[in-house]
Amino acid sequence: MAGRGDPPEGTPEGLPGGEDEYGSLVFDEAFVRAARLQEFSAQERMGEHAQAVRSRPSWEGRSGSRQALMLVLLILLAFGTAVYLGVRNPYQAPVDQPAEPLRTTVVPLAPQGPVTGGQPDRLFAHSPAAEYPSGAAGINFPLTGRTPHFSESQVLSALGIAKEYLVASSLEPGVLTGATVRPARLLVDPDQLEQFDRSVEQPQDDGRHAVAGWLVRFDPHQVALAAPSARVHGTLRVVEIDTDLLEVTADHTFTYAVRPAGPDTGPTAQASLFTVHRELHFRFDREDLRMHRAELLSSTVQAGPQACGADTTGSLHPLLAGERADRSRQAGTDPYATGRPTTSALCGTLAPSAQPSL
């Protein structure tokens, strides 16, 4: 029998007092606030075109907006920190400074007697180059560290590029014999390439366009190499001359064994020694270090045995075994002449101690 007030068939499904499947849920304040839709009040629904419900602002949307705002603030903070560190960082971004033209001086050294001849090994053994290392082993780095504005790795990079240029321009067989200039040219600052190419193609005695200022090259029609490698001795020095500039000075002596070239001569022909003293001044800015290239500031070359009247603007012209310098052809210098003296007027005397003592 149904209870008092209950219909005979029992409480209808879904009405209060029935078995409602949501009856166990508690619609507390947090649940109501989380609802995406909110019912208008009776007074609000009486208005014309009034809707039954309205959308509530999404707490999730607000939270997402706050997260986006925080992300923007973090990005701005990181950007500001990077700018600050960039200003305070002593290792500034590369600054490419225009390269100056190379200044060259080439001085032939004339022997006082006949050039000593013999086999290469014996000549080296009885010369001042007897204890010199062969090839690139004679070009060594000094003990060095960082400078006030350059790191140790940047200093070593400058020294490494300078050494590469010395090897490419003084020891590469193809360069020495005039077959190519590419190994040296690849390391030259782009601002100096026009001067380099003009020196190779149209050498002039003007202190700017002598091939010997850039590299060591022999006339392949007159001279051949009698030994596979030269003897080398010298020093490298590096100094910071500005907050953005390093200068490397290379001071080396290269001693080559040479012999006459031509079909009538061969490995059995008497060889002689030819010595080239090169002092090169390199300058490196940060862009040069990054691009692995060198700017040559000045080049001073003393080479002999050579005749004083020899044209050294192109190839070097060694006097070979048994030959003598023609003293009557030595160029004179007029002290009353105005203008820059030509390099052909410069000549030195090769000391007898520089020749092998056989």
Side-chain angles (χ1 to χ4, degrees):
M1 180 176 179
R4 182 180 296 179
D6 291 340
E9 63 277 9
T11 304
E13 183 179 357
L15 293 179
E19 297 181 358
D20 188 354
E21 61 179 319
Y22 302 107
S24 61
L25 297 177
V26 178
F27 297 97
D28 56 10
E29 184 180 356
F31 179 85
V32 174
R33 292 180 61 185
R36 300 298 301 275
L37 298 177
Q38 182 182 28
E39 185 179 4
F40 286 99
S41 67
Q43 184 176 359
E44 290 173 329
R45 291 197 301 271
M46 290 175 62
E48 188 177 1
H49 306 300
Q51 298 180 354
V53 295
R54 61 184 171 194
S55 298
R56 291 175 59 90
S58 172
W59 291 96
E60 180 181 356
R62 292 181 181 179
S63 177
S65 299
R66 287 198 300 270
Q67 292 177 358
L69 179 60
M70 291 298 294
L71 180 60
V72 171
L73 291 175
L74 287 174
I75 292 175
L76 291 175
L77 179 61
F79 179 77
T81 303
V83 171
Y84 174 78
L85 293 177
V87 172
R88 296 299 299 270
N89 189 358
Y91 309 122
Q92 300 294 329
V95 177
D96 189 14
Q97 301 193 16
E100 301 175 5
L102 170 66
R103 304 183 304 275
T104 63
T105 302
V106 183
V107 181
L109 301 177
Q112 300 183 43
V115 176
T116 304
Q119 294 303 308
D121 291 343
R122 191 162 180 262
L123 292 172
F124 279 128
H126 292 81
S127 76
E131 303 300 325
Y132 289 1
S134 296
I139 305 174
N140 299 307
F141 288 2
L143 294 176
T144 187
R146 67 181 305 279
T147 67
H149 298 90
F150 287 86
S151 66
E152 182 177 358
S153 63
Q154 290 174 317
V155 173
L156 291 175
S157 178
L159 290 169
I161 298 171
K163 178 175 180 176
E164 283 188 50
Y165 187 86
L166 289 173
V167 172
S169 62
S170 307
L171 298 174
E172 180 67 37
V175 173
L176 295 175
T177 57
T180 181
V181 297
R182 181 176 172 80
R185 189 181 189 276
L186 289 175
L187 295 169
V188 175
D189 189 293
D191 292 339
Q192 295 183 314
L193 286 179
E194 181 179 356
Q195 182 187 7
F196 179 93
D197 292 339
R198 182 179 169 187
S199 300
V200 172
E201 298 167 4
Q202 298 176 335
Q204 295 180 4
D205 186 15
D206 60 358
R208 288 287 188 271
H209 300 93
V211 176
W214 298 95
L215 48 86
V216 177
R217 183 170 70 175
F218 302 117
D219 185 346
H221 301 291
Q222 299 179 359
V223 179
L225 297 176
S229 61
R231 302 293 180 91
V232 185
H233 176 71
T235 59
L236 286 171
R237 298 187 302 274
V238 60
V239 62
E240 179 182 312
I241 60 173
D242 194 270
T243 56
D244 290 309
L245 291 175
L246 288 174
E247 184 172 298
V248 174
T249 301
D251 189 350
H252 291 80
T253 299
F254 301 84
T255 304
Y256 306 89
V258 296
R259 60 176 177 81
D264 298 334
T265 61
T268 57
Q270 272 202 330
S272 59
L273 298 186
F274 186 76
T275 303
V276 178
H277 181 199
R278 303 183 75 192
E279 182 175 317
L280 300 178
H281 291 265
F282 301 90
R283 189 176 73 177
F284 299 92
D285 58 31
R286 300 178 192 278
E287 185 69 5
D288 292 328
L289 299 178
R290 188 179 71 86
M291 298 301 294
H292 201 79
R293 66 195 187 195
E295 175 190 345
L296 279 72
L297 291 177
S298 64
S299 172
T300 302
V301 178
Q302 297 173 317
Q306 282 189 110
C308 284
D311 181 9
T312 56
T313 57
S315 301
L316 297 175
H317 300 277
L319 292 173
L320 301 174
E323 295 182 338
R324 292 175 175 267
D326 186 355
R327 295 287 175 175
S328 63
R329 296 182 58 189
Q330 291 186 12
T333 301
D334 183 0
Y336 296 98
T338 59
R340 182 187 181 280
T342 61
T343 57
S344 61
L346 301 176
C347 190
T349 300
L350 185 66
S353 59
Q355 288 284 320
S357 56
L358 297 181

